[in-house]
């Protein structure tokens, strides 16, 4: 399609030219006339009539979504008129850049282009230590940290689309990766929490906040402060004695606020610690019985925007109740939902879409102005940012629609990403397997634990016992479905290579531990030899293929730092499969009297498995691989 821009388009030209990399149109003097003009209304209107196009926009970022809408619909309709009204002042994803995966700058630019087409006007960059602080060389050392120049380059690129990049950092907890260094020992209370009430800590924070704010145009900053339950319980307790956590936190917050005030920054922070400390248990941010006292309300400094995060609740009533509790703290909060890309190779669309739909509906009703969707990467980020795009599109459509029509949302996803909704939803099937309740609402992650668990130890074998053959068949069929649905001509087709190869591995490996244990218990030596001579070597070969696919995907999207963590996992898996072969052969040859690992009774990893609709959950690779000590964190108090 050729387009001839007219009207007030010159300031948008650099961004529109960049969009040509994403969708099929070319700026040309013989193209369809498309007039762009500013409106006094906050609405965006996109029209096509008599062979001419018209865009009337309220805010800068609307233009880029409108360009996409014009290209999408003018190919299908000779005449149309669309009017969109934004519901939120700010909406966009939060990218976790701290759990090994630090997106390459060129990939981030591609993501920003897709965000512009979708209709986002902001993104948060979650960086615990993955940015440069010159006076602290161990801050982000060997972690792929962004330089000041890289962050400024990203900010410049986002700005041309009307997208605000907001740094999201940590100023109290979740600083394990910096505090692990000897050079930071003087700043440490517990493993991940800063030592408060000492000048060295606030000098560090001054330099840290100044460094992260400098590359960005925005005056907004997110200072974190979530999940700081260990505050005051380590070195602080030894040095200064006991002090109530709410007093420690609010005193610390005021000192951080003094730093941000001098830099003229507008502050956001996670709200969970206030709700936890107000609850009867002292640690439940979702306690519906929590009463917010005036004392608690008065402890929160002025001009701090609290951000309520929730990726769990599926009913609107729960969001209404929890937003009401935030309002009792003295303000209407910002909101952060989530697309479940973390702690798994899969993307849990069953849970993600149900929670998001409920949350976004209530956010509109309750006057929420700022909405973000988090893409956490806990425990290494084996998944990837692009697998969440169907969920991101849902958030974008909720910005401009009162009620989102599924067909329209799916069509927009296809246009903005090149992939259809069915392709994205297939990712859900990596975890939504036989034995899992409808919708996978209990956060089960078998695609991860069935891959990494040791075949001799079988820590999760009880979880699929009785459905193991169905599970194997499920993964075999899923491999074929993914393979048949792929189109290598599409830019993002590459993200399905890992799910396809993982399905091939799990079709063989998921049930092998049960087969091995059964054969051993029944003294079926021929079956044991078959496992050692045929089954396990095939699994090793398939794991190697998976590893290579995963490596290629990682290095396409992310900086190389952090891949070594995943690489070591694959190396350990292969080594343990080789050890299993050796031990089975030694046993079947009579060189050892028994295989002690197979003598052990199998127990479920999760003791309360019968109380869920899932197949269990583990957050950490090292717990899946072994019940023994991978590392030991010594107490520091």
């Amino acid at each position: 399609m050729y387009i001839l821009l007219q009207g007030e388009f010159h300031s948008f030209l650099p961004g529109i030219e960049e969009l040509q990399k994403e969708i099929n149109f070319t700026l040309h003097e013989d193209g369809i006339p498309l007039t762009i003009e500013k409106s006094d209304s906050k609405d965006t209107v996109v029209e096509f009539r008599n062979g001419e196009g018209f865009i009337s926009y309220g805010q800068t970022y609307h233009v880029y979504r409108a360009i996409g809408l014009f290209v999408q619909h003018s190919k299908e309709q000779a005449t149309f008129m669309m009017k969109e009204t934004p519901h939120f002042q700010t909406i966009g994803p939060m990218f976790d850049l701290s759990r090994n995966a630090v997106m390459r700058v060129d990939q981030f630019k591609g993501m920003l282009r897709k965000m512009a087409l979708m209709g986002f006007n902001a993104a948060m960059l979650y960086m615990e230590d993955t940015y440069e602080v010159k006076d602290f060389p161990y801050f982000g050392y060997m972690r792929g940290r962004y330089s000041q120049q890289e962050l400024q380059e990203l900010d410049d690129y986002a700005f041309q689309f009307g997208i605000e990049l907001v740094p999201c950092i940590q100023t109290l907890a979740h600083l394990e990766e910096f505090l692990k260094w000897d050079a930071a020992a003087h700043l440490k209370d517990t493993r991940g929490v800063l030592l408060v009430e000492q000048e060295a800590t606030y000098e560090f924070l001054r330099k840290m906040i100044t460094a992260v704010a400098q590359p960005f145009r925005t005056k907004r900053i997110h200072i974190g402060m979530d999940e700081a339950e260990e505050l005051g319980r380590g070195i602080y307790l030894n040095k200064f004695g006991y002090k109530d956590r709410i007093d420690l936190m609010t005193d610390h917050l005021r000192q951080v606020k003094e730093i941000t005030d001098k830099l003229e920054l507008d502050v956001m922070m996670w709200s969970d610690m206030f709700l936890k400390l107000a609850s009867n248990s002292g640690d439940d941010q979702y306690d519906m019985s929590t009463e917010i006292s005036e004392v608690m309300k008065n402890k929160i400094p002025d001009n701090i925007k609290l951000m309520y995060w929730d990726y769990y609740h599926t009913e609107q009533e729960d969001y209404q109740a929890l937003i009401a509790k935030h309002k009792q703290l003295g303000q209407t909060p910002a909101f952060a939902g989530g697309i479940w890309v973390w702690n798994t190779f899969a993307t849990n669309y069953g849970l993600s879409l149900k929670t998001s739909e409920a949350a976004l509906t209530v956010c509109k009703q309750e006057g929420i102005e700022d909405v973000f969707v988090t893409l956490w990467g806990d425990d290494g980020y084996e998944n990837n940012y692009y697998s969440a795009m169907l969920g991101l599109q849902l958030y974008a459509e909720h910005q401009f629609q009162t009620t989102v029509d599924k067909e329209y949302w799916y069509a927009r996803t296809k246009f903005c990403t090149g992939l259809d909704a069915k392709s994205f939803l297939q990712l859900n099937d990596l975890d939504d397997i036989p034995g899992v309740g409808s919708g996978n609402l209990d956060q089960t992650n078998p695609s991860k634990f069935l891959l990494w668990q040791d075949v001799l130890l079988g820590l999760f074998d009880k979880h699929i016992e009785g459905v193991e053959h169905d599970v194997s068949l499920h993964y075999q069929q899923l491999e074929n479905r993914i393979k048949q649905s792929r189109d290598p001509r599409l830019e993002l087709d590459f993200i399905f290579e890992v799910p396809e190869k993982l399905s091939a591995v799990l079709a063989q490996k998921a049930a092998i531990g049960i087969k091995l244990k059964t054969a051993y218990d029944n003294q079926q030596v021929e079956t044991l030899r078959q496992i050692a001579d045929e089954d396990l070597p095939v699994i090793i070969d398939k794991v190697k293929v998976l590893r290579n696919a995963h490596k290629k995907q990682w290095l396409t999207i992310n900086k190389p730092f952090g891949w070594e963590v995943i690489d070591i996992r694959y190396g350990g898996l292969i080594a343990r499969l080789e050890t299993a072969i050796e031990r089975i052969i030694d046993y079947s040859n009579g060189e050892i009297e028994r295989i002690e690992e197979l003598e052990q009774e199998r127990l479920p990893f999760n003791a309360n498995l019968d109380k869920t609709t899932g197949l269990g959950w583990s957050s950490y690779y090292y717990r899946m691989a072994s019940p023994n000590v991978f590392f030991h964190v010594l107490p520091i108090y």
Side-chain angles (χ1 to χ4, degrees):
M1 172 187 288
Y2 289 150
I3 292 176
L4 173 63
L5 294 177
Q6 296 180 340
E8 305 166 2
F9 70 87
H10 292 91
S11 63
F12 302 105
L13 188 56
I16 294 173
E17 288 176 338
E18 286 295 295
L19 290 187
Q20 292 176 104
K21 299 175 181 177
E22 295 296 320
I23 53 178
N24 187 23
F25 76 97
T26 303
L27 299 178
H28 195 277
E29 61 183 9
D30 294 327
I32 299 170
L34 178 60
T35 301
I36 299 175
E37 59 183 19
K38 182 78 169 69
S39 169
D40 293 332
S41 169
K42 67 177 183 177
D43 299 333
T44 298
V45 178
V46 184
E47 292 186 78
F48 187 41
R49 63 178 187 271
N50 301 323
E52 294 188 45
F54 304 89
I55 292 174
S56 174
Y57 70 94
Q59 297 183 49
T60 297
Y61 77 97
H62 296 167
V63 171
Y64 304 101
R65 176 177 166 95
I67 291 285
L69 289 169
F70 179 77
V71 172
Q72 179 184 355
H73 292 282
S74 61
K75 291 179 178 179
E76 304 166 352
Q77 305 173 49
T79 301
F80 64 85
M81 194 278 284
M82 308 177 67
K83 181 178 178 181
E84 294 190 329
T85 304
H87 289 277
F88 310 113
Q89 288 187 9
T90 305
I91 188 164
M94 186 222 74
F95 298 103
D96 185 348
L97 304 163
S98 297
R99 273 35 179 261
N100 290 350
V102 179
M103 210 185 322
R104 286 171 33 170
V105 170
D106 62 328
Q107 287 290 314
F108 215 138
K109 288 180 178 180
M111 180 66 77
L112 289 166
R113 292 193 297 269
K114 292 174 178 62
M115 286 172 54
L117 283 174
M118 288 178 163
F120 290 120
N121 66 352
M124 285 200 301
L125 280 63
Y126 179 74
M127 302 178 290
E128 293 173 355
D129 67 331
T130 49
Y131 56 95
E132 185 179 25
V133 183
K134 291 188 182 299
D135 289 341
F136 293 88
Y138 283 94
F139 193 81
Y141 175 60
M142 291 293 181
R143 293 253 293 141
R145 64 190 172 201
Y146 288 118
S147 67
Q148 294 271 311
Q149 291 75 20
E150 286 175 317
L151 291 175
Q152 186 171 338
E153 182 180 350
L154 287 173
D155 192 64
D156 289 343
Y157 196 79
F159 179 73
Q160 69 184 332
F161 298 116
I163 295 175
E164 174 193 17
L165 295 190
V166 180
C168 180
I169 64 172
Q170 289 291 355
T171 57
L172 183 55
H174 285 298
L175 286 168
E176 291 90 345
E177 298 310 316
F178 173 56
L179 295 178
K180 69 180 179 231
W181 299 108
D182 291 346
H186 64 294
L187 300 171
K188 180 164 60 177
D189 178 7
T190 66
R191 189 166 65 98
V193 177
L194 288 171
L195 182 59
V196 300
E197 296 187 358
Q198 65 164 0
E199 180 53 35
T201 297
Y202 298 101
E203 179 61 22
F204 162 64
L205 288 171
R206 272 189 286 274
K207 292 181 177 179
M208 192 177 81
I209 294 170
T210 301
V212 81
Q214 194 277 330
F216 297 98
R217 286 175 173 81
T218 185
K219 300 304 290 184
R220 293 203 287 181
I221 187 171
H222 196 303
I223 60 171
M225 292 203 184
D226 59 313
E227 298 180 323
E229 288 86 358
E230 294 180 351
L231 174 62
R233 295 180 172 182
I235 290 173
Y236 180 92
L237 186 63
N238 287 344
K239 288 185 70 173
F240 305 116
Y242 174 78
K243 187 172 182 179
D244 192 278
R245 284 182 298 166
I246 188 62
D247 294 326
L248 280 175
M249 183 170 175
T250 53
D251 289 347
H252 177 71
L253 178 55
R254 288 189 181 90
Q255 295 207 56
V256 172
K257 187 69 166 53
E258 288 179 9
I259 296 170
T260 57
D261 284 348
K262 287 180 181 177
L263 295 170
E264 299 180 339
L265 299 174
D266 298 322
V267 175
M268 295 183 283
M269 68 172 288
W270 306 116
S271 66
D272 58 295
M273 285 302 295
F274 291 113
L275 293 181
K276 287 174 181 175
L277 294 171
S279 70
N280 293 328
S281 65
D283 63 1
D284 185 358
Q285 72 198 75
Y286 302 126
D287 183 351
M288 299 298 175
S289 67
T290 296
E291 297 292 336
I292 306 297
S293 67
E294 281 296 315
V295 172
M296 179 64 75
K297 176 180 174 180
N298 292 333
K299 284 183 177 291
I300 302 173
D302 294 335
N303 302 319
I304 288 182
K305 170 71 80 172
L306 297 180
M307 183 170 284
Y308 157 44
W309 55 271
D310 194 336
Y311 338 118
Y312 305 97
H313 292 99
T314 58
E315 302 299 329
Q316 293 185 25
E317 293 79 6
D318 293 326
Y319 292 99
Q320 289 167 340
L322 289 163
I323 289 172
K325 293 188 186 303
H326 281 81
K327 289 183 176 181
Q328 291 171 19
L329 289 169
Q331 59 174 270
T332 299
F335 176 77
I339 303 299
W340 281 77
V341 294
W342 57 92
N343 277 123
T344 179
F345 285 80
T347 299
N348 187 340
Y349 274 115
L351 180 60
S352 298
L353 299 181
K354 195 169 180 63
T355 58
S356 297
E357 185 65 36
L360 291 167
T361 299
V362 173
C363 283
K364 295 174 190 177
Q365 297 169 355
E366 296 294 332
I368 302 293
E369 295 181 343
D370 302 296
V371 169
F372 288 89
V373 49
T374 60
L375 308 178
W376 296 109
D378 300 22
D379 195 45
Y381 226 140
E382 290 142 331
N383 206 333
N384 66 84
Y385 308 103
Y386 290 117
S387 71
M389 297 296 272
L390 177 64
L392 296 189
Q393 191 75 57
L394 177 65
Y395 274 73
E397 297 314 311
H398 266 286
Q399 165 72 326
F400 297 101
Q401 316 293 333
T402 301
T403 302
V404 175
D405 177 77
K406 181 183 286 188
E407 289 187 13
Y408 185 80
W409 158 38
Y410 282 5
R412 287 289 297 156
T413 302
K414 173 71 172 177
F415 179 78
C416 293
T417 70
L419 299 173
D420 58 33
K422 182 179 178 181
S423 296
F424 284 109
L425 292 173
Q426 277 188 140
L427 299 173
N428 195 64
D429 292 339
L430 284 165
D431 283 340
D432 195 353
I433 67 174
V436 174
S438 176
N440 189 12
L441 301 183
D442 275 332
Q443 306 156 232
T444 196
N445 60 344
S447 66
K448 180 164 178 164
F449 62 65
L450 292 176
L451 175 67
W452 298 132
Q453 77 158 342
D454 188 276
V455 295
L456 287 176
L457 302 177
L459 294 181
F460 292 86
D461 282 350
K462 294 292 285 187
H463 292 229
I464 63 167
E465 192 175 70
V467 294
E468 66 268 21
H469 300 299
D470 294 334
V471 169
S472 295
L473 180 60
H474 170 88
Y475 282 120
Q476 180 183 336
Q477 293 172 340
L478 180 58
E479 177 196 2
N480 291 330
R481 289 205 312 273
I482 294 174
K483 190 178 298 183
Q484 292 168 8
S485 68
R486 293 182 60 185
D487 183 347
R489 296 171 297 177
L490 300 177
E491 177 199 359
L492 295 184
D493 179 74
F494 77 97
I495 70 170
F496 297 103
E497 185 76 3
V498 169
E500 179 187 323
K501 304 310 182 192
L502 175 60
S503 296
V505 171
L506 294 179
Q508 301 292 322
K509 183 177 184 292
I512 196 66
I514 296 174
K515 180 179 179 181
L516 179 58
K517 173 69 169 162
T518 301
Y520 181 80
D521 288 345
N522 293 314
Q523 296 298 295
Q524 297 167 339
V525 178
E526 289 186 8
T527 302
L528 291 174
R529 284 303 299 244
Q530 178 205 335
I531 291 171
D533 293 341
E534 300 175 21
D535 295 350
L536 295 183
V538 167
I539 292 172
I540 289 172
D541 288 342
K542 290 181 179 293
V543 169
K544 289 178 178 178
V545 172
L546 169 61
R547 171 184 170 267
N548 287 332
H550 201 166
K551 178 171 59 177
K552 184 176 181 180
Q553 175 185 282
W554 183 283
L555 295 177
T556 298
I557 300 173
N558 305 313
K559 295 185 178 187
F561 304 94
W563 169 249
E564 75 280 358
V565 171
I566 311 300
D567 220 4
I568 290 167
R569 293 179 185 181
Y570 282 115
L573 176 57
I574 291 168
R576 287 298 296 161
L577 288 166
E578 290 173 344
T579 295
I581 292 171
E582 293 169 5
R583 288 184 59 69
I584 295 168
I585 291 174
D586 286 348
Y587 174 73
S588 61
N589 288 341
E591 295 177 21
I592 58 175
E593 293 183 1
R594 60 186 184 277
I595 301 175
E596 292 177 85
E597 301 94 320
L598 298 179
E599 293 278 340
Q600 301 296 308
E601 178 189 1
R602 288 341 192 206
L603 301 174
F605 184 92
N606 301 119
N608 60 346
L609 194 60
D610 59 340
K611 296 183 174 66
T612 78
T613 62
L615 286 174
W617 174 268
S618 179
S619 297
Y620 301 108
Y621 154 79
Y622 71 91
R623 291 301 185 205
M624 299 173 187
S626 172
N628 289 299
V629 178
F630 263 63
F631 60 86
H632 182 58
V633 180
L634 292 172
I636 58 173
Y637 45 89

